[in-house]
Amino acid sequence: MNGNQISPFEYVSILVSLILGLGITQILSAFSDLLYHYKKVKFYWPHSLWLVFVLFLHVQDWFITYQLRGKPEWNMPELLFVLLYPITLFVVAKMLLPTNDSEERINMKAFYFNQFPIIFFFTALSIISSILFNIFFLKINLWQQAPLFVFLIAMLVISFKKIEQETVHKILALAISLAAILSVVFENDTWVIN
């Protein structure tokens, strides 16, 4: 291969990285805006855990996409399919934080409960695309993805039934945080770039 030529994977990963970068930028920028105006913001810890979790998912996708580095060629449907997950993550990142800071006070609990149905719906879409990605690209069977199915069902039920019990949302925020930590601990071999 010519030293100036990039591989098909490198070409595809540029677009994936751009979208993931936009999502990460959205989270970091909007959250730092809230911190800048911290005197008029009332933070809500389950919402904050969701922010960290979605940031984690962006980084996780960047790591997992690297597993496709040996794929010798790509077609348009494959590219669009691989882009679906980072796109849904970007939408979730955008919906997680307010964009208008002209309000006198910002209550993140009220914001979270106003936004959670759409956030959870797009999270469910990202889970579906993740499951399909795991099947078609990483060759992971359905049984190994049982935790994703549980998470998918929880997202859909809470989203469509608009369950507003605070205890449910607190337990869910703790569960996603624990799942992220456990995935790093128990899937340490996945978190390698060589």
Side-chain angles (χ1 to χ4, degrees):
M1 180 184 296
N2 183 337
N4 294 330
Q5 187 176 13
I6 64 172
S7 72
F9 169 75
E10 291 169 329
Y11 192 71
V12 166
S13 68
I14 290 169
L15 192 51
V16 171
S17 297
L18 283 170
I19 297 168
L20 290 172
L22 287 171
I24 291 169
T25 300
Q26 171 62 35
I27 292 169
L28 297 178
S29 176
F31 186 71
S32 60
D33 285 346
L34 289 178
L35 290 178
Y36 184 77
H37 300 287
Y38 73 93
K39 289 183 181 177
K40 65 179 187 174
V41 176
K42 183 177 179 186
F43 290 95
Y44 182 58
W45 69 263
H47 175 264
S48 298
L49 289 181
W50 266 96
L51 287 173
V52 172
F53 180 67
V54 172
L55 180 63
F56 167 80
L57 291 178
H58 279 78
V59 175
Q60 180 189 45
D61 189 46
W62 183 72
F63 263 96
I64 289 179
T65 301
Y66 188 69
Q67 293 181 21
L68 301 177
R69 67 190 174 280
K71 187 169 171 33
E73 62 183 39
W74 289 80
N75 60 42
M76 181 64 92
E78 290 172 330
L79 173 63
L80 293 175
F81 180 73
V82 168
L83 292 176
L84 184 60
Y85 185 72
I87 288 171
T88 57
L89 283 182
F90 173 80
V91 172
V92 172
K94 186 75 174 161
M95 298 301 298
L96 267 171
L97 289 155
T99 55
N100 185 358
D101 64 348
S102 64
E103 294 181 34
E104 186 62 31
R105 309 269 303 132
I106 301 172
N107 183 330
M108 294 312 296
K109 180 178 178 181
F111 178 83
Y112 170 83
F113 278 101
N114 185 48
Q115 295 294 103
F116 85 84
I118 192 78
I119 292 169
F120 286 18
F121 174 75
F122 275 95
T123 301
L125 289 179
S126 73
I127 296 167
I128 291 168
S129 67
S130 178
I131 290 169
L132 294 173
F133 176 88
N134 291 342
I135 291 169
F136 294 114
F137 285 95
L138 302 181
K139 309 299 183 205
I140 299 173
N141 69 45
L142 291 176
W143 294 110
Q144 292 173 296
Q145 299 187 69
L148 283 176
F149 281 103
V150 171
F151 188 34
L152 173 63
I153 291 167
M155 291 294 95
L156 290 173
V157 168
I158 295 170
S159 176
F160 286 116
K161 290 194 174 240
K162 294 182 173 57
I163 297 173
E164 294 190 5
Q165 284 102 350
E166 192 172 2
T167 304
V168 170
H169 289 270
K170 287 179 177 181
I171 291 170
L172 182 61
L174 291 171
I176 61 174
S177 300
L178 181 61
I181 292 167
L182 291 176
S183 75
V184 171
V185 171
F186 291 115
E187 296 181 18
N188 196 31
D189 56 335
T190 304
W191 302 91
V192 176
I193 296 178
N194 55 21

